Amino acid sequence: MSHTTTSAAGPRPAQPRRAHRDTTSPIAGGVAAGLAAHLAVPVLWVRVFFVATAFLGGFGLLLYAGLWIFLPSGQAFEVSTPGLESATRTGKRPGRRSRLRDAGPAIALGALFFGVVLGFEGIFGQGVLFWPVVLGVAGIGLLWRQADEAQRERWVDSSGRIDPFRAVFGNGGWAAYTRIAAGLGLVLTALLVFAVAAGQASFAVPVLVAGLLGLLGLALVVGPWVVRLVDDLGAERAERVRTQERADMAAHLHDSVLQTLALIQKNSHDATTVARLARSQERDLRQWLFEADTADATTLAGALKEMAADVESQHPVVVDVVTVGDCDLDEALRPIVLATREAVVNVAKHAGTQRADVFAETSDAAVDVFVRDRGAGFDLDEVAADRQGVRSSIVDRMVRHGGRADVRSAPGEGTEVRLHMPRTSHPTDQEHR
Amino acid sequence: MTETVPSAPAGPVRVVLVDDHAMFRAGVRAELAASGAGVVEVVGEAADADAAVEVVHRLRPQVVLLDVHLPGGGGVEVMRRQPSPETLYLALSVSDAAEDVIGTIRGGARGYVTKTITGPELVDAITRVSGGDAVFSPRLAGFVLDAFAGSIDVAAVDEDLDRLTEREREVMRLIARGYAYKEVAKELFISVKTVETHMSSVLRKLQLSSRHELTKWASDRRLL
């Protein structure tokens, strides 16, 4: 039931890997973090790269700005399990911390800004355009940052309406207002500085340039919003499909929960049945709420969990499955699942306890499964020769398929069945961790 | 860490119960009263993070039973605000999602048990935590092994905080297999105290380590 293999990295149909901006932990636009994840290199390297190339005539800055515009922001609709998503939405799980509180990002931003200055000095010299451009770029950067923030909050927001005010300001707060005000202020100052500096020139040129600059600024500020709105539409459609899927699932589960509760009421005198029903329902719900897509029996862990659910539904026993690592379930591994099942069924039938712990560890070399109970235990030597359960179903089966099985038991101390199956015949098996 | 543990208490262990479901709180309270009379005493309750911080600050309990999903930022938020320096936390959760479990442990909890735990087991876990030891359920042990998987390189173990020693892995494996501390000790021919030392050391590595496998494992799950 527990699954320790990741659902995020689980076997999925192959999709082209696309770079995203990481808007969950941005310093400026999350470009560096997103790229680092995409390229699987430390984020520090990417940041150093951007800062360093900023000195090469502002190349790093232009690259950053370009990527900021064109990379879609990632993980907006990252699908978690419904239980976790709901807990996150209602503030029951720790949320995102502001990255700007620590000094590192502030230093990086400062360095980046310094890079802008140097870059433009490199290109234009300390000419007329320099300060207006610096101020304008800083202003636009701030406005973009706010656009990201507002976009993120729109995604998190579940009310569904698009409110023009909130589309710009997000959920408000001093940070949003400050960003907008500072951004606009910087852009306006840039224009003003430019106008003043260009005041002596002939009349027509400044007007033309000012007009163009204004248009450019507008396009740069509004452009990303428009692009993202289009993106949002596609994303929203995908989200709607997902929501409907969820609703269907929820309906199904509610039905099953209600059915189970009805059954429990009818059987309230029968403690064993009640416990069994409650347990199976708990498993069902828990699986759906907290474990993403693990029910399929195409992996070893999935098969063991399915086996556990199956045995629990037929016998009055609680089976806890803990798995470490996972691999595809091929024919060579099926015997170990069947032997595990037999061991668990033996616990249910003979151990006189209601609990079995199953632990499976998958490494490159082998699969090890342990089935442990705290039941009556037995003396191995005294098992009659005609009792075939342990001997043929577990030990012989494992040996026949190239594995090994040990049974350790003593009266009063419970029993542990240890199953070992080497994987050397399948060295190319992909490991899912 | 053991140095923050108050000296052996004279009376029962004072416990504060933090969970947003009143029904569950009532159930745990009744269960602790039944199986932990004289050993464990529930001195307060809270239903969200703010209330929990206030109650823990006021009552200074030895142990807080902390729900992982809690209004106001989750159980992690309560520990982050450190309302009482000498208080220890035991996570008690219905969620067995890896990100919640490891996240809470990394947030400072001394142990993690699921809500299906029986009364006597819970009493045992509380006394263990109040004594400064770590409490690992089989599930948590499984998560830990998974998080540290691939670190079997025994040659480099000692100078590297982020690796589990082979002994610690063995202890974790046995816990994951459902062994009790006493059985682990017997199996490995070591004392129960040594088992507890290993567990505390694993917990410390889990909470302190920030590099290598655990970091990758955690960031894959967006814990960091």
Side-chain angles (χ1 to χ4, degrees), chain A residues 126-150:
Chain A
Q126 284 182 314
V128 185
L129 276 174
F130 172 63
W131 281 111
V133 167
V134 168
L135 292 176
V137 165
I140 289 166
L142 273 174
L143 287 173
W144 271 346
R145 181 78 166 70
Q146 172 56 25
D148 274 348
E149 201 78 4

Side-chain angles (χ1 to χ4, degrees), chain B residues 139-155:
Chain B
R139 185 139 309 147
L140 177 54
F143 287 143
V144 171
L145 282 173
D146 227 13
F148 287 98
S151 57
I152 316 177
D153 185 7
V154 191

Side-chain angles (χ1 to χ4, degrees), chain B residues 28 35 44 52 66 68 99 124 143 156 197 202 223:
Chain B
V28 171
S35 34
L66 194 60
V68 171
E99 44 269 63
D124 187 50
F143 287 143
T197 310
V202 172
L223 298 181

Side-chain angles (χ1 to χ4, degrees), chain A residues 2 4 6 24 78 84 91-94 97 286 320 324-325 359 361 370 372 374 408 413 416 418, chain B residues 20 69-70 72-74 77 80 94 96 100 139 143 146 173 177-180 183 186-187 221-222:
Chain A
S2 141
T4 51
T6 166
T24 55
E78 190 194 2
L84 294 182
K92 294 184 178 181
R93 301 179 73 218
R97 288 268 143 66
R286 188 187 290 281
D320 258 328
V324 172
F359 172 64
E361 186 168 9
F370 302 85
R372 163 108 179 130
R374 306 290 184 75
R408 289 214 319 183
E413 287 185 21
E416 186 178 57
R418 306 166 169 193
Chain B
D20 52 330
H69 290 171
L70 201 63
E77 179 67 14
R80 198 182 62 80
V94 76
D96 38 15
D100 282 341
R139 185 139 309 147
F143 287 143
D146 227 13
R173 273 204 198 96
R177 275 156 68 178
Y179 280 57
E183 295 166 325
K186 197 174 145 207
E187 178 78 18
R221 291 161 179 74
R222 310 190 68 72

Side-chain angles (χ1 to χ4, degrees), chain B residues 139-202:
Chain B
R139 185 139 309 147
L140 177 54
F143 287 143
V144 171
L145 282 173
D146 227 13
F148 287 98
S151 57
I152 316 177
D153 185 7
V154 191
V157 284
D158 273 342
E159 61 274 20
D160 199 337
L161 178 69
D162 285 348
R163 293 170 188 281
L164 299 188
T165 64
E166 195 46 39
R167 202 54 155 179
E168 286 161 357
R169 290 174 63 83
E170 275 175 59
V171 172
M172 280 294 115
R173 273 204 198 96
L174 289 171
I175 298 288
R177 275 156 68 178
Y179 280 57
Y181 285 30
K182 240 187 305 174
E183 295 166 325
V184 174
K186 197 174 145 207
E187 178 78 18
L188 298 179
F189 303 105
I190 53 182
S191 71
V192 173
K193 194 65 225 160
T194 312
V195 174
E196 284 167 352
T197 310
H198 283 310
M199 307 275 274
S200 293
S201 141
V202 172

Side-chain angles (χ1 to χ4, degrees), chain A residues 105-117:
Chain A
I107 293 169
L109 271 183
L112 219 62
F113 189 77
F114 189 60
V116 182
V117 175

